[in-house]
Amino acid sequence: MNGLSILSFAGIFLVVLILWGISMLREARSLRFMRTHEWTAEEKERILAAAAEGTATAMRAAKQYDQAEDLYHQAQDVCRHSLAPTDRRLAALHNNLSMLYSETNRPDKAELELREALRIIEASSVNPDEDIDVASSHTNLALTLLTEHKLEGAHWHAAKALDIYKTGHLEHSAHYASALAGYAQVCFAEKRYADAVAGYRHALDVIEECYGKDTDYWRITEDNLRQAETVSYTHLTL
């Protein structure tokens, strides 16, 4: 299968996914499929929210951002009434909306969504200082703050993520590599090139342990390491 046919297949699949999501959303709104069951009002609302979120995610993948944003907000409105305030599904919605805002160059709004997601996840956690989802939220927030050139906040959240992995003895998790690479990226922006090199090297060790070297994840991180090494060497020799 050549590149064109792969892209064509991906496009057809995406169209089918969007059409399926829209169909499910319309069906859910009409409640036709619900009438054969004794659904509670809350269950109906959750089904509507799930259908809206699924369709929104497909729309976002197709770069139909206005429609996706509207559907994410609809899902959030429903979930606020049907889910507990600390339900992590609410946090997932905020994370999804933050990705949309990032993709449409609105990092300030992405930051607000990520902060709300972090608040929900921390509130729902038995021990936030050892919770891998809390750590991932800190990394996501750090990278968004980095795009806003808020280096102090970015560094704090990137470092906090690493602390959680270490406290919870989660250093062999594949997600730890993302936290290390995120921290390295922040250090590079701060011109702490030696720390960036160390972070990327450690991330590569974790990636190799979890996935091996023959992955795009490895190659991208290795490229970042090489860039950091080059700048670090140039900086030392000046």
Side-chain angles (χ1 to χ4, degrees), residues 30-201:
S30 71
L31 302 183
R32 286 198 300 270
F33 80 103
M34 296 185 190
R35 288 184 185 132
T36 59
H37 301 280
E38 292 298 325
W39 301 95
T40 66
E42 283 191 358
E43 287 172 332
K44 290 177 183 179
E45 287 185 337
R46 290 176 187 178
I47 291 169
L48 282 169
E53 182 182 8
T55 307
T57 300
M59 287 288 189
R60 196 187 86 227
K63 303 187 185 304
Q64 301 297 314
Y65 293 118
D66 289 341
Q67 297 94 320
E69 184 174 351
D70 180 60
L71 286 167
Y72 278 135
H73 284 304
Q74 288 183 42
Q76 283 184 332
D77 289 342
V78 172
C79 286
R80 287 191 189 100
H81 295 95
S82 62
L83 298 178
T86 56
D87 194 306
R88 293 197 177 193
R89 284 172 289 183
L90 278 172
L93 274 169
H94 287 290
N95 279 325
N96 282 330
L97 192 51
S98 77
M99 287 189 280
L100 184 148
Y101 287 141
S102 293
E103 291 168 17
T104 53
N105 298 314
R106 289 178 284 175
D108 54 331
K109 289 192 172 184
E111 178 190 341
L112 292 175
E113 295 297 327
L114 287 170
R115 288 191 183 280
E116 182 62 14
L118 176 59
R119 184 193 66 77
I120 293 169
I121 293 171
E122 284 184 327
S124 69
S125 181
V126 175
N127 186 353
D129 290 330
E130 297 183 359
D131 191 320
I132 196 168
D133 290 335
V134 174
S136 294
S137 295
H138 279 293
T139 297
N140 292 338
L141 183 52
L143 295 177
T144 294
L145 291 170
L146 184 59
T147 66
E148 297 180 275
H149 307 291
K150 297 178 179 179
L151 295 184
E152 184 177 351
H155 185 94
W156 189 90
H157 284 284
K160 180 63 177 177
L162 296 185
D163 287 342
I164 292 171
Y165 281 100
K166 292 172 184 176
T167 301
H169 304 291
L170 304 166
E171 295 98 331
H172 297 285
S173 164
H175 295 290
Y176 185 45
S178 297
L180 287 164
Y183 181 78
Q185 190 173 341
V186 172
C187 288
F188 188 88
E190 295 175 307
K191 299 183 180 180
R192 297 172 51 189
Y193 300 121
D195 290 337
V197 168
Y200 282 129
R201 285 177 178 167

